Amino acid sequence: MSYLIKSAWQRLEDAIISYEGRPVGTLAACDSQEFALNYDQCFVRDFAVSAIAFLMRGQTDIVRNFLTTVLSLQSCQKQMDCFSPGQGLMPASFKITCQNEVEEMQADFGEHAIARVAPIDSGFWWLLVLRAYVKASGDLDLAHQHEFQKGIERILDLCLTARFEMLPTLLVPDGSFAIDRRMGVYGHPLDVQALFYLALRSAKELLAPENDYIEIVNKRLGHLTYHLRTYYWLDFAHLNEVYHYQVEQVGKDANNKFNIYPDSIPEWLPTWMPDTGGYFVGNLGPARIDFRWFAQGNLMAILGSLASDEQSQGIMSLIKQRSSDLLGQMPLKMCFPALEGRDWEVLTGCDAKNSPWSYHNGGNWPFLLWQLAAAAVKTGNEGLAQRALDIAIRQLPQQDWPEYYDGRDGRFVGKKARKFQTWTIAGFLVAQELLQNPQNLECISFSEDAGVEVCPD
Ligand code: GLC
């Protein structure tokens, strides 16, 4: 193992936190130069990347402990008042404090987060980690324990209960996943829908075979697949259709189901969209397509086989054809293009941290490398992932593993980026591991679900 990889592993080990003598998670960052804020906590979504790295290396104990810990923090009570977390919710992060030599575990459901954003994705990541753990260790007994089955059911209840809407997608507030600041990602953001889909697939594998939820999950998977593959998918042919859409249609036969006005096609898109390839748009709702590209939603759609084989190849083809925009000088861009001018003012609330081409708003995030590598291996595009990794190897260790990069092409280390950001390190290690041992893909990917009927809503 090269010195570089060895020292990256060492850094990941250094981020481990323990509770009552057992390793249970990793800190978000180990940057002694900056005020910790909440980066001294273990974030569920951040640890998911560490978990995959540990699992690929056979270190299953820390992952098992993490799963048990987060389960114990899940909100189990019926919501007593509007300020307590809803039943089934899992925390965004947790922290271990020590007073008079007594350790205490503190969960944060968003009460302490900037702008009090809701952690919609935590339960989904927990399910994905549990499924990866079972695949890697063979320990299905853990998932079949009563408490785990109850935990899974509580997550499903939270997502599958009656709502105001009649759509297969989930309606969520702004900033409720990795993009945890206001960014116009309220409504039905792709990233949440893709994670929801993968979480349902995981739940299906983890529930005891006779569980009644399986049928409900199957049904939802079928509708969700149809909805995303049909209405979120955008290639040049579909864009051309949108350009010619008739509007103000009513009833079942309306082909412009969401009343999208052709004038809402943004100026940058017609020239940017290649003749071949395509992607899932960022959001879809009444009179609204958010045409931005979101890396995580698209790559996770490939990993889950939410995207059809053809769509998966289309996404990879788009990344290749638009690599200077989507990968840039430090792979890869979380969201493209950046919101600028009046859009930035209105949709971010003039958020200076999310100024154009910085942070979530068009910044580049190296932790996403693991998703790129996994999608590349799944679709036979290893060369693309290797090139991305080669760039990362040249810069990340030398620049102390930054959290994110700034600039249109992602060349600058992010202005407010943490150093020694744990998921940057773990994401790099997972990508490296996947390219070397592609069989590791199995614990984080799904093949097309033959048991589900893909049907319209
Ligand atoms: C930032 C990111 C969020 C991440 C957290 C810890 O808030 O936006 O996605 O989980 O930092 O790294």
Side-chain angles (χ1 to χ4, degrees):
M1 200 182 346
S2 79
Y3 166 75
L4 210 148
I5 309 284
K6 234 188 195 155
S7 67
W9 273 111
Q10 190 52 53
R11 295 235 169 249
L12 183 59
E13 302 269 345
D14 292 346
I16 291 177
I17 48 168
S18 296
Y19 181 66
E20 294 176 345
R22 296 173 314 135
V24 290
T26 47
L27 299 174
C30 298
D31 186 349
S32 53
Q33 304 298 307
E34 293 276 338
F35 180 57
L37 267 177
N38 52 1
Y39 286 81
D40 61 353
Q41 308 207 4
C42 175
F43 280 74
V44 173
R45 72 174 74 88
D46 295 44
F47 183 78
V49 192
S50 303
I52 298 164
F54 288 130
L55 291 175
M56 288 182 176
R57 221 192 179 196
Q59 285 174 251
T60 52
D61 277 3
I62 181 170
V63 181
R64 188 188 166 101
N65 296 340
F66 164 85
L67 289 164
T68 314
T69 302
V70 175
L71 178 62
S72 74
L73 298 172
Q74 183 184 36
S75 168
C76 297
Q77 305 299 319
K78 272 237 169 304
Q79 198 166 18
M80 301 308 274
D81 63 58
C82 58
F83 298 113
S84 54
Q87 192 176 29
L89 198 66
M90 284 184 157
S93 59
F94 63 87
K95 180 179 179 160
I96 290 137
T97 54
C98 192
Q99 261 195 355
N100 304 327
E101 293 182 23
V102 180
E103 284 183 330
E104 209 191 307
M105 181 86 75
Q106 283 176 2
D108 180 12
F109 290 88
E111 311 96 305
H112 303 294
I114 293 167
R116 305 198 161 204
V117 281
I120 307 272
D121 61 342
S122 285
F124 300 156
W125 281 116
W126 181 84
L127 275 166
L128 278 164
V129 173
L130 178 56
R131 188 255 186 182
Y133 165 83
V134 169
K135 281 250 169 201
S137 66
D139 180 13
L140 186 60
D141 287 351
L142 181 74
H144 281 182
Q145 279 178 14
H146 178 72
E147 266 318 303
F148 273 75
Q149 292 287 300
K150 281 277 148 221
I152 299 170
E153 288 176 6
R154 278 191 290 263
I155 297 174
L156 294 177
D157 275 338
L158 191 60
C159 305
L160 303 174
T161 44
R163 306 147 302 144
F164 290 107
E165 282 198 322
M166 293 177 289
L167 288 174
T169 37
L170 286 183
L171 176 66
V172 302
D174 220 337
S176 55
F177 54 105
I179 297 181
D180 55 358
R181 298 171 83 92
R182 202 178 142 192
M183 261 277 286
V185 288
Y186 58 88
H188 309 87
L190 172 69
D191 287 24
V192 170
Q193 315 310 327
L195 286 176
F196 177 40
Y197 175 88
L198 276 119
L200 291 178
R201 296 268 330 246
S202 305
K204 200 173 130 174
E205 285 182 23
L206 298 165
L207 286 167
E210 67 283 4
N211 194 299
D212 292 343
Y213 282 83
I214 291 177
E215 205 189 317
I216 307 171
V217 168
N218 265 334
K219 260 205 165 140
R220 189 64 170 261
L221 280 170
H223 292 311
L224 199 55
T225 309
Y226 182 88
H227 191 88
L228 269 286
R229 285 185 185 176
T230 311
Y231 304 120
Y232 278 63
W233 181 252
L234 193 72
D235 50 18
F236 189 74
H238 186 211
L239 183 60
N240 203 18
E241 253 172 62
V242 177
Y243 178 75
H244 289 281
Y245 263 160
Q246 301 296 311
V247 293
E248 310 293 333
Q249 302 169 317
V250 278
K252 270 208 166 311
D253 300 331
N255 77 327
N256 182 4
K257 208 171 167 175
F258 295 93
N259 200 35
I260 307 298
Y261 272 82
D263 280 354
S264 66
I265 297 174
E267 238 176 76
W268 59 271
L269 187 58
T271 39
W272 190 79
M273 178 67 97
D275 291 337
T276 54
Y279 65 104
F280 290 111
V281 294
N283 215 320
L284 177 76
R288 177 188 186 205
I289 293 181
D290 181 343
F291 290 93
R292 282 176 292 174
W293 151 270
F294 288 85
Q296 174 155 275
N298 276 285
L299 296 172
M300 292 307 277
I302 295 179
L303 284 189
S305 289
L306 165 60
S308 66
D309 286 347
E310 207 186 332
Q311 289 172 334
S312 297
Q313 290 300 341
I315 294 168
M316 296 311 289
S317 160
L318 178 89
I319 296 176
K320 278 192 233 165
Q321 294 180 69
R322 294 291 175 261
S323 64
S324 60
D325 288 328
L326 303 182
L327 302 181
Q329 302 278 336
M330 172 52 73
L332 45 155
K333 189 90 52 213
M334 185 178 261
C335 160
F336 176 88
L339 296 168
E340 298 187 84
R342 188 73 186 135
D343 286 344
W344 168 76
E345 286 175 10
V346 173
L347 290 171
T348 73
C350 302
D351 183 345
K353 194 162 179 185
N354 268 337
S355 61
W357 306 109
S358 183
Y359 202 47
H360 304 129
N361 186 18
N364 294 37
W365 289 68
F367 89 86
L368 291 166
L369 272 168
W370 79 268
Q371 295 177 13
L372 179 73
V377 171
K378 188 160 187 250
T379 54
N381 287 285
E382 290 83 351
L384 172 78
Q386 190 58 58
R387 282 193 295 283
L389 206 60
D390 291 344
I391 302 176
I393 286 178
R394 280 201 298 276
Q395 293 181 60
L396 289 179
Q398 205 196 356
Q399 292 168 335
D400 295 337
W401 307 97
E403 180 186 15
Y404 67 95
Y405 285 74
D406 281 350
R408 218 195 130 96
D409 55 4
R411 204 158 171 205
F412 295 120
V413 170
K415 244 194 186 134
K416 296 196 175 141
R418 302 276 148 166
K419 299 285 174 66
F420 304 110
Q421 179 79 19
T422 305
W423 66 357
T424 300
I425 301 167
F428 165 82
L429 286 170
V430 172
Q432 169 80 22
E433 193 65 35
L434 274 167
L435 284 172
Q436 255 167 25
N437 300 306
Q439 76 279 8
N440 278 317
L441 182 67
E442 216 199 307
C443 68
I444 47 171
S445 88
F446 295 79
S447 47
E448 179 92 26
D449 192 340
V452 158
E453 195 196 338
V454 178
C455 45
D457 35 57

